[in-house]
Amino acid sequence: MDLTEKIRQQFDSLPYPQVPLEQSPLDDPNLLFIHSLMTPFYLRSQTIPDTQNTAILDVGCGSGYKSLALAVANPQSVVIGIDLSEPSLEVARVRAQTQGIGNAEFHLLAISDLPQLGRNFDYINCDETLYLFRDIGEGFQLLRSVLKPEGIIRANLHSAYQRATYFRAQELFKQLGLMAANPGELEVQIVADTLKSLKPDVNLAKTWTKDPFEPEGTINSSAVLMNFLFQGDKGYTIPDLFDALRQADLELISMVNWREWDLLSLFQNPEDLPLFWEITLPELSDEMHLTLFELISPQHRLLDFWCGYAGQRKPYRPLNDWSRAEWEQAHIHLHPVLSTPRARADLVDSIQAQQPWEVSRYLSTTIKTPCQVESHLAACLLPLWDAPQTIQSLIDRRLQTCPNDLVTLVPLSEEQAFEQLKALLMRLETFLYVLVEW
């Protein structure tokens, strides 16, 4: 049986992901942050995209939960989902209807037939799909063929290192004939019985104990099928990723979880590195930085990334390097994920109670420890819920809400207010809570 047909049959029998129809991505701001166009476009060029009437393609949309997240995160866009599995697409259509989403549509279509849609896209989401291609370079070229000149692709690959044990398990069950056709409940039961019967210290048995697929005594068929019996599953390394990008004349913009790929974070004392590393690290390219990270600590299941046409990525200019004149020309935006009535109401409560406002409670994907803002500074941020602001408008508000130094009671100067706000915005921009565009 053709591999593509095996993959189609597997998802016909088990539409994925198996997320309840009533579950809304509004309850998952970290998911919306990843799927907001604001995030990758800002990471590429420190600019804010115009999302009015943008076209988004969701490749391998499956049961449509990521399409739903794209539609919610970008309400002014049109989302088109494609998939090989008609049963999966039926779930996606029902999901959109259940959630009242009118800016999404779904088509039974192979990636190779993308030109049939007759349009190009501002953003392409290819989640949990690209690694099923026989040639990921060819997959990139197909996606690129329908990408607008300034468009961005989000895709991911299974890690060859992190998933190595699962790939061995898949090969074992192939050898036993469990993947000759579309695996079903019998094959799932055989996998469960096999892994549970192994001694606990046997390497392969650890995949079962590490990922307990038996909530309340039942077997999670979806987890077994998507890990141990996954048709067409393959793993890749960072060099594989960069080779495929070059083949398609694309360039990396950023890893989706970029703050979790920091090589320095793997050392016990980043401030006191061995001399060799102290000399070497500043000279590393992005590719080498990521390559060394995964060789030292292959902790990520997915090599999850954004990319675009080669030559469009601009070097990031730290806000600390900006002149006062550049700050005065800048526009400060609140990330859309934070621009919610609930976040604003909580901020108002913090100001009135004179308690710190914990901004990281609404968005934690970019930060490992809580980020709090003192209430007297947080009060300056309130206008961001109404519209983007200039630094001068925030300075004026700062001088109105807190005109004196809290210790000396000496009136704050405009320069002091500017320095306070600059420090605050630099801290928030590090985690993309605010976006500063010049």
Side-chain angles (χ1 to χ4, degrees), residues 3 46-47 62 64 83 142 148 176-177 210 238 299 334 382 385:
L3 177 59
Q46 285 180 278
T47 57
D83 202 275
L142 287 169
K148 289 184 180 180
L176 293 172
K210 181 180 177 182
I238 289 294
Q299 59 191 260
L334 192 67
L382 273 174
W385 270 262

Side-chain angles (χ1 to χ4, degrees), residues 104-142:
E105 58 186 70
F106 300 94
H107 301 271
L108 183 67
L109 198 69
I111 298 179
S112 56
D113 295 326
L114 277 174
Q116 292 182 16
L117 292 174
R119 66 189 306 172
N120 290 341
F121 296 88
D122 301 278
Y123 187 83
I124 299 175
N125 186 62
C126 187
D127 191 14
E128 304 273 11
T129 300
L130 191 61
Y131 51 72
L132 298 177
F133 272 71
R134 288 189 176 89
D135 180 352
I136 58 172
E138 179 183 351
F140 275 126
Q141 289 174 337
L142 287 169

Side-chain angles (χ1 to χ4, degrees), residues 26 32 49 78 109 120 140 148 268 283 370 385 427:
L26 285 171
L32 296 179
V78 174
L109 198 69
N120 290 341
F140 275 126
K148 289 184 180 180
Q268 294 184 44
E283 304 301 322
W385 270 262
R427 181 156 64 102

Side-chain angles (χ1 to χ4, degrees), residues 374-430:
E374 292 298 325
S375 59
H376 62 90
L377 277 173
C380 301
L381 302 176
L382 273 174
L384 293 175
W385 270 262
D386 299 323
Q389 301 292 315
T390 63
I391 190 68
Q392 187 60 53
S393 67
L394 298 184
I395 289 172
D396 293 343
R397 184 175 180 86
R398 175 63 175 159
L399 293 175
Q400 287 179 328
T401 58
C402 190
N404 298 326
D405 185 284
L406 294 177
V407 176
T408 66
L409 300 183
V410 173
L412 281 179
S413 68
E414 186 168 294
E415 185 63 24
Q416 287 174 316
F418 167 70
E419 291 296 332
Q420 290 176 356
L421 287 166
K422 184 174 78 168
L424 172 62
L425 293 172
M426 286 193 300
R427 181 156 64 102
L428 297 179
E429 194 261 357
T430 298

Side-chain angles (χ1 to χ4, degrees), residues 13 31 38 69 81 110 144 149 173 214 259 283 326 406 420 423 431:
S13 60
L31 183 69
M38 291 287 185
R144 187 182 186 276
F173 297 123
E214 299 178 275
R259 293 184 62 82
E283 304 301 322
E326 289 173 316
L406 294 177
Q420 290 176 356
F431 310 112

Side-chain angles (χ1 to χ4, degrees), residues 159-161 236-239 261 263 266 289-299 303:
S159 166
Y161 297 134
Y236 296 89
T237 65
I238 289 294
W261 284 85
L263 195 53
L266 302 180
H289 184 112
L290 297 170
T291 297
L292 296 181
F293 185 101
E294 75 166 349
L295 289 171
I296 296 173
S297 180
Q299 59 191 260
L303 310 180

